[in-house]
Amino acid sequence: MTSQWEPGAGRYQDPVTSPLPIMPIMPPPPSTGLTGPNGLIGPAGPTGPAGLTGPTMAVGRGTGPSRAAKDPAELVLLGGRAGYGTVEVLHGLDLSIPRGRVTALLGPNGAGKTTTLRVLAGLLPLRSGMLTWGGTNITKLSAVERARAGLMLVPDERAVFPSMTVKENLRLVADIAGDPDISPALTAFPRLEERLYQRAGSMSGGERRMLALARALLAKPKVLMVDELSLGLSPRVASDLFAWLKTVADGGTTVILADQYTEEALALASVVYFLYRGERSFVGSPEEFRASPSYASS
């Protein structure tokens, strides 16, 4: 199956006239992951899933259709339905995430952004629909199996072990990944070197966020998903973390970012999805998004 996204064809559905009622997102239960506080940090596989010649999509780098480049789709979600208990949050969601680019998931609180990331990571099963990675169906793969293949989620909370020191948090992931060297994490986030023997739970919110991202970096992800990168952080710290995420994306890692800082996310993104009440109401380039009614409500 081939999926194409055409620049210049951003689609918009008026959320005001959407017939679906607002579905509250119920908080998920704490995870019981095997190797991390959220069960996501495992060693990246050497090649990831087989069949990396799957669907393609045309995307631009923020300069409009004239400079669009054709890229293979990394992840494709078709007709995704998911929720918590009796509450359905995603109502047949379709996504096509381009490889080696930044995709921004935007939308108001309760739109389904976090639920979407949890579905992609394998923390929340699909009730119906299919998820492929590089053309391979991974719908039934567990979160741990996806993480070990290089599909990593940095959640908005519970991303580090609070009772362990910074060094212990980093070494845990590094050892699992088969490379005990934690220097790449300290190079990316020099402040962590000053906190190596401090318990993670006693650090500031910004420092814990740095530690969570550093753990993901040591796992050598092929796809990095970040939920609310700037949540609760000062604009200065948030700006530093966005700058780091840009270096990751520039290195060829596929990045999926759900965040409240719309402008920061748009500055990084090649593709923008705007979610509303568990459905996709817009998909297009950042320029197309800024010209859409969704932009005013983001």
Side-chain angles (χ1 to χ4, degrees):
M1 179 180 294
T2 299
S3 174
Q4 292 276 333
W5 172 75
E6 295 296 337
R11 292 177 291 280
Y12 172 73
Q13 173 185 337
D14 184 2
V16 176
T17 60
S18 174
L20 288 171
I22 295 177
M23 297 292 187
I25 294 182
M26 299 173 64
S31 173
T32 56
L34 298 177
T35 57
N38 53 9
L40 291 181
I41 299 301
T47 59
L52 295 179
T53 56
T56 60
M57 65 188 298
V59 297
R61 286 193 178 273
T63 56
S66 62
R67 293 185 58 186
K70 199 169 188 178
D71 295 302
E74 185 85 61
L75 294 169
V76 176
L77 176 64
L78 298 175
R81 291 183 177 273
Y84 308 99
T86 60
V87 179
E88 183 176 271
V89 178
L90 302 183
H91 313 293
L93 183 63
D94 292 334
L95 297 175
S96 187
I97 307 298
R99 185 179 305 154
R101 304 296 184 91
V102 178
T103 297
L105 297 181
L106 304 178
N109 289 337
K113 302 186 299 295
T114 294
T115 299
T116 298
L117 294 184
R118 289 176 61 82
V119 164
L120 297 180
L123 289 174
L124 185 66
L126 283 171
R127 293 177 175 178
S128 65
M130 181 175 68
L131 176 64
T132 63
W133 184 5
T136 299
N137 189 340
I138 64 166
T139 306
K140 300 299 184 181
L141 285 186
S142 69
V144 173
E145 289 172 317
R146 296 182 197 189
R148 286 176 175 166
L151 185 61
M152 300 290 169
L153 169 63
V154 178
D156 58 347
E157 57 185 16
R158 296 197 302 273
V160 301
F161 286 108
S163 62
M164 296 173 64
T165 66
V166 169
K167 185 175 182 179
E168 289 169 339
N169 267 280
L170 295 176
R171 282 297 302 270
L172 175 64
V173 179
D175 289 344
I176 292 172
D179 184 357
D181 182 16
I182 64 172
S183 61
L186 303 181
T187 299
F189 301 102
R191 191 179 305 181
L192 295 181
E193 189 164 13
E194 304 170 7
R195 305 284 193 269
L196 275 180
Y197 299 99
Q198 183 174 340
R199 294 188 184 279
S202 67
M203 297 196 302
S204 69
E207 290 168 339
R208 289 196 302 272
R209 209 70 178 128
M210 292 178 191
L211 178 56
L213 294 171
R215 283 167 53 87
L217 175 64
L218 292 178
K220 301 178 176 62
K222 294 177 176 60
V223 179
L224 178 61
M225 301 178 289
V226 183
D227 192 9
E228 299 292 356
L229 176 66
S230 58
L231 182 66
L233 305 182
S234 69
R236 179 178 178 180
V237 172
S239 179
D240 289 343
L241 295 185
F242 275 110
W244 173 83
L245 196 60
K246 183 179 186 302
T247 65
V248 172
D250 288 345
T253 300
T254 299
V255 175
I256 306 173
L257 173 65
D259 200 88
Q260 59 182 335
Y261 276 46
T262 301
E263 290 305 321
E264 296 276 13
L266 290 178
L268 293 178
S270 295
V271 179
V272 177
Y273 282 92
F274 189 83
L275 306 184
Y276 188 78
R277 296 179 178 177
E279 292 189 317
R280 185 185 74 186
S281 67
F282 173 90
V283 57
S285 70
E287 287 73 23
E288 292 165 341
F289 179 68
R290 288 188 176 96
S292 76
S294 296
Y295 180 64
S297 60
S298 64

